[in-house]
Amino acid sequence: MPKYFDFKICGYYLYFTTHCIIEAMHAHASDRKLTEAGSAKFFVRKNGDTNVSNRGALTDKEIRIIRDFIKDNYKDMYRKWAEYSSKGFYEGKQNKNA
């Protein structure tokens, strides 16, 4: 599973799976097991904002920190995503409160 970075944010790796590249750009946040079950899922918009479709076991504080990190690094993350997928940024409904 490709990781966006080799380090953890709030104790979680940000990654995607090669079978989920058919969706718009997103990042799973998970522990060392890197499994989708129980992971949070952040869809990334073209301005770096995120839509959380699954919060997994993350706290509100962890979600906020990860969202801020993605906002600051989404362009680098997109370059990694584009190596595997032709799908672009998330264009769906924005949910800033999730």
Side-chain angles (χ1 to χ4, degrees):
M1 280 175 232
K3 288 187 252 177
Y4 288 104
F5 303 98
D6 289 331
F7 54 87
K8 293 181 179 182
I9 310 303
C10 291
Y12 299 94
Y13 287 111
L14 300 181
Y15 70 96
F16 57 95
T17 64
T18 53
H19 74 269
C20 68
I21 59 173
I22 60 171
E23 299 178 304
M25 183 192 167
H26 63 276
H28 292 278
S30 184
D31 60 12
R32 63 180 170 80
K33 296 177 186 175
L34 299 182
T35 59
E36 284 190 63
S39 71
K41 189 172 185 178
F42 298 80
F43 279 96
V44 184
R45 295 169 118 11
K46 61 184 172 185
N47 66 357
D49 288 345
T50 55
N51 184 24
V52 180
S53 71
N54 182 8
R55 63 182 296 127
L58 276 70
T59 66
D60 289 342
K61 181 180 179 182
E62 291 168 330
I63 288 173
R64 187 183 75 251
I65 291 169
I66 291 171
R67 285 182 129 166
D68 290 345
F69 179 85
I70 290 173
K71 180 77 170 181
D72 291 341
N73 296 280
Y74 75 98
K75 291 179 183 176
D76 291 331
M77 293 172 70
Y78 184 75
R79 283 190 275 280
K80 181 76 168 182
W81 174 265
E83 291 176 19
Y84 294 86
S85 178
S86 62
K87 299 292 181 185
F89 291 106
Y90 180 71
E91 298 293 337
K93 182 180 176 185
Q94 182 70 4
N95 182 358
K96 292 190 173 204
N97 297 322

